[in-house]
Amino acid sequence: MVRPTMEDVALRAGVSRALVSLVMRGSPKVSEMRRSAVLKAAEELGYSPHAMARSLASRTSTVLGVMVSDLHNAFFAEVVDGIDEVARERGFDIIINTGGRSPARERRALESLLSFRPAGLVLLSPVVPATAIGKAAEQLPIVLVARSSRLSTVDTVNDDGETGARLAVDHLVSLGHKRIAHLDGGEGSQAGPRRRGYVAAMEAHGLVPQVVSSEYTDTAGARAIRSLLADDALPTAILSCNDFNAVGAISALEDAGLHVPHDVSVVGYDNTSLAALRHVSLTTIDQPRAEFGRLAADALLQRVREERTEPVRHLLNPSLVVRTTTAPPGGPR
Amino acid sequence: MVRPTMEDVALRAGVSRALVSLVMRGSPKVSEMRRSAVLKAAEELGYSPHAMARSLASRTSTVLGVMVSDLHNAFFAEVVDGIDEVARERGFDIIINTGGRSPARERRALESLLSFRPAGLVLLSPVVPATAIGKAAEQLPIVLVARSSRLSTVDTVNDDGETGARLAVDHLVSLGHKRIAHLDGGEGSQAGPRRRGYVAAMEAHGLVPQVVSSEYTDTAGARAIRSLLADDALPTAILSCNDFNAVGAISALEDAGLHVPHDVSVVGYDNTSLAALRHVSLTTIDQPRAEFGRLAADALLQRVREERTEPVRHLLNPSLVVRTTTAPPGGPR
DNA sequence: TTACAGCCTTAGAGCGCTCCAACCAATAGA
DNA sequence: TCTATTGGTTGGAGCGCTCTAAGGCTGTAA
């Protein structure tokens, strides 16, 4: 269980440690003869460089840290894909860590990530207080995804929830709907912009907004529908705050003997894999998740290379994905 | 962007670097006076120890590496929860990394994880060849989750798919079903044990097994049902290879005007969050995922502490979760 | 007074690596 | 022939920390 060091490789190849170092870093100023001798020795010994010692000595790092607030959410997996893609392209490795949606755990995750002295950090929808982020940002470049910030030291990448909500409303209106309710996400992140976008779009069409308080879960969506039914205030179309909420809403509608989209059209938000299931086939708003990741990694690397010190605020455009839960009022069952 | 070192803290506190080191490691042989002086100085400077330098100097590591083959699958998130729980309890940190289900990427992920010289590695359902795992196992303790191995140097944690399938069949038989088909997972991991368990359980009940070739996706599940319908060979109950497949099957059954569970009962496998959605409410087989993680971390730490050198093979019992997609033949719609 | 425990504290070596300056051919230019 | 120059190679310092062995204090006993 003891790994060979550069010294061992040097000894075996009959060269100096410094030369092995040059070979390992792919320096051009090494003769072909020595290079192959060194590589051969390394191969035979099963040597691979010690990233920490390297980073310690060079005072640089080729590692990007990624803090994922919730590993259970596939949304983040796709963002990580984007980060990973760009990072690998530029010769950086990523290490991931999770905060489990708890500020305390997240704090520890952050601390742990920091202790590796990565070149920079991407925080995916962090729940720690802004001050903690600001403090970390004094030590290394930080990019926030799916969370906004006024800190001038951090970059942010977000989707434009107002636009997304507007797209959904426009779609429903173009199908002929006039009574469109929004089941909102309460305090949930991004719930604000979505609600504002919905209200603005409704007003732009000369329609009356109807915001129903709800949450980002399927049970909350079902509950909201039941309350609408009880109040006899059911609209012809529903814009849910996210896909889970929408699925819950659909289920409550069907329980009540109503048909989607014949009686009520439903639009989700996020385009999760759930929405794509043929059993669900939900019309929804898609966010360019991998693009989030790519932009985040890109912004981070710009800071790492000190190519930029001004903060960047990316606001990406969501898009509408039409499936089978929307139709003109009275349309197909 | 330059972080303070132990030297800076020592200078500020008016003590030696070694004393700061003792304080940081929580040594009891430091006077209360000095300890508080050091902690105060560290606080003021925003100092936190450099994990890599520490690990380099101490030739030990308090980091466990976790390689997740597919970050998109929430299954792994729950395993990670279990690992994280045990690791934190014992003062270890984890760093995660993903292979994106591609052997090449996974290899690189492994290499990257290895370069941090963690105390040990947990590989979640890795797709790299066994030889690569064996080679890594020469350098540090390794535990495999959701993948078996004959290597005597690695521990494994798996669920008992045969038992799971048997539980499902027993449940259906107890409801009165006699014609029960299995939509199988083909080459997918764990598909073999599930199929074997299904066949064995059917035969144990004196029933005729009916294995339909399928895959771990919802479209495959729907396809399998359509082929059964076309052949006029629809049974009264279906055991799918996983939840996605089951949802696809249900959807195809409903498209054909059949009712679940009135006409056909359906059982999934995995108890994903999908199954728990009230819109789906799928009877399924649950695997103790967090327990996988806890056992994996535990086994790893035993090796790390050299408390054990014999391999351990955990085979955990799955359990049945009854929801609303199963009923006696001709039962409720 | 000296001796001798404790108990704290510290200097210094060294972990595996990078990087710099110096070095050593071998060749080119004068 | 001698000096530059170039291309390849090397020793040594040092990154931020830990760990060992050796110190410096006190206070108590002889």
Side-chain angles (χ1 to χ4, degrees), chain A residues 6-331:
Chain A
M6 238 175 206
E7 202 71 53
D8 302 324
V9 177
L11 213 66
R12 182 172 192 113
V15 298
S16 72
R17 181 177 27 79
L19 212 245
V20 177
S21 171
L22 288 174
V23 172
M24 287 304 151
R25 283 175 288 147
S27 161
K29 36 178 150 186
V30 176
S31 67
E32 222 20 80
M33 199 188 83
R34 308 272 175 151
R35 179 188 308 282
S36 58
V38 166
L39 290 177
K40 180 159 163 284
E43 172 65 29
E44 287 166 1
L45 292 173
Y47 170 82
S48 80
H50 189 315
M52 306 172 129
R54 168 178 283 180
S55 144
L56 187 62
S58 64
R59 268 140 293 184
T60 61
S61 165
T62 56
V63 172
L64 302 183
V66 179
M67 209 284 303
V68 181
S69 70
D70 185 7
L71 223 46
H72 298 76
N73 192 333
F75 180 93
F76 297 117
E78 296 183 38
V79 179
V80 170
D81 283 344
I83 297 174
D84 200 46
E85 182 190 326
V86 170
R88 256 181 317 152
E89 226 171 78
R90 317 264 179 94
F92 281 73
D93 280 322
I94 68 172
I95 58 178
I96 306 167
N97 200 142
T98 175
R101 283 226 174 278
S102 127
R105 264 185 73 184
E106 197 168 284
R107 208 162 199 131
R108 169 156 179 183
L110 211 59
E111 203 59 51
S112 157
L113 237 25
L114 244 27
S115 77
F116 286 99
R117 302 291 192 272
L121 235 44
V122 182
L123 307 183
L124 304 187
S125 197
V127 297
V128 287
T131 54
I133 296 174
K135 215 167 148 194
E138 288 170 15
Q139 307 190 348
L140 80 178
I142 291 194
V143 176
L144 260 36
V145 175
R147 162 148 176 183
S148 40
S149 167
R150 277 160 288 91
L151 291 165
S152 68
T153 46
V154 308
D155 302 325
T156 58
V157 180
N158 285 287
D159 100 303
D160 185 351
E162 302 200 23
T163 299
R166 181 172 52 70
L167 285 175
V169 171
D170 287 355
H171 168 62
L172 291 168
V173 168
S174 77
L175 288 174
H177 292 277
K178 300 214 178 314
R179 293 181 50 214
I180 306 169
H182 175 50
L183 311 193
D184 100 322
E187 302 297 307
S189 93
Q190 299 300 316
R194 291 176 193 179
R195 181 172 45 236
R196 281 197 300 278
Y198 159 79
V199 171
M202 288 297 279
E203 286 170 350
H205 285 291
L207 301 173
V208 185
Q210 179 186 7
V211 174
V212 182
S213 157
S214 190
E215 282 173 57
Y216 281 156
T217 63
D218 70 316
T219 49
R223 211 181 311 123
I225 290 297
R226 283 195 296 271
S227 85
L228 282 172
L229 287 165
D231 296 353
D232 214 14
L234 197 69
T236 65
I238 299 281
L239 168 56
S240 275
C241 51
N242 75 350
D243 290 347
F244 286 107
N245 183 285
V247 171
I250 291 172
S251 145
L253 288 166
E254 288 177 345
D255 285 353
L258 296 165
H259 292 276
V260 175
H262 177 76
D263 300 306
V264 182
S265 285
V266 177
V267 181
Y269 204 114
D270 283 346
N271 194 23
T272 53
S273 60
L274 174 65
L277 281 178
R278 41 169 290 137
H279 184 48
V280 176
S281 186
L282 182 68
T283 295
T284 187
I285 302 294
D286 182 70
Q287 301 185 44
R289 283 162 277 206
E291 185 66 15
F292 279 14
R294 283 190 290 267
L295 284 171
D298 203 63
L300 193 58
L301 290 173
Q302 285 172 10
R303 290 236 191 210
V304 167
R305 297 183 183 141
E306 301 185 337
E307 294 169 0
R308 176 171 57 74
T309 55
E310 291 306 298
V312 140
R313 307 261 173 260
H314 287 292
L315 207 59
L316 299 197
N317 279 327
S319 58
L320 177 73
V321 179
V322 179
R323 294 206 179 86
T324 61
T325 56
T326 49

Side-chain angles (χ1 to χ4, degrees), chain B residues 6 17 21 25 47 50 54 57:
Chain B
M6 237 175 206
R17 180 175 29 78
S21 171
R25 283 176 288 146
Y47 170 82
H50 190 313
R54 168 177 283 180

Side-chain angles (χ1 to χ4, degrees), chain B residues 67 69 99-104 106-107 124-130 133 147:
Chain B
M67 209 284 303
S69 70
R101 283 225 173 280
S102 127
E106 198 169 281
R107 211 167 195 126
L124 304 187
S125 197
V127 297
V128 287
I133 296 175
R147 161 150 177 182

Side-chain angles (χ1 to χ4, degrees), chain B residues 98-111:
Chain B
T98 175
R101 283 225 173 280
S102 127
R105 265 185 73 187
E106 198 169 281
R107 211 167 195 126
R108 171 157 177 181
L110 211 59
E111 203 59 51

Side-chain angles (χ1 to χ4, degrees), chain B residues 275-294:
Chain B
L277 280 178
R278 42 168 290 139
H279 184 47
V280 176
S281 187
L282 182 69
T283 294
T284 186
I285 302 294
D286 182 69
Q287 301 185 43
R289 282 162 278 206
E291 186 65 15
F292 280 13
R294 283 190 291 266

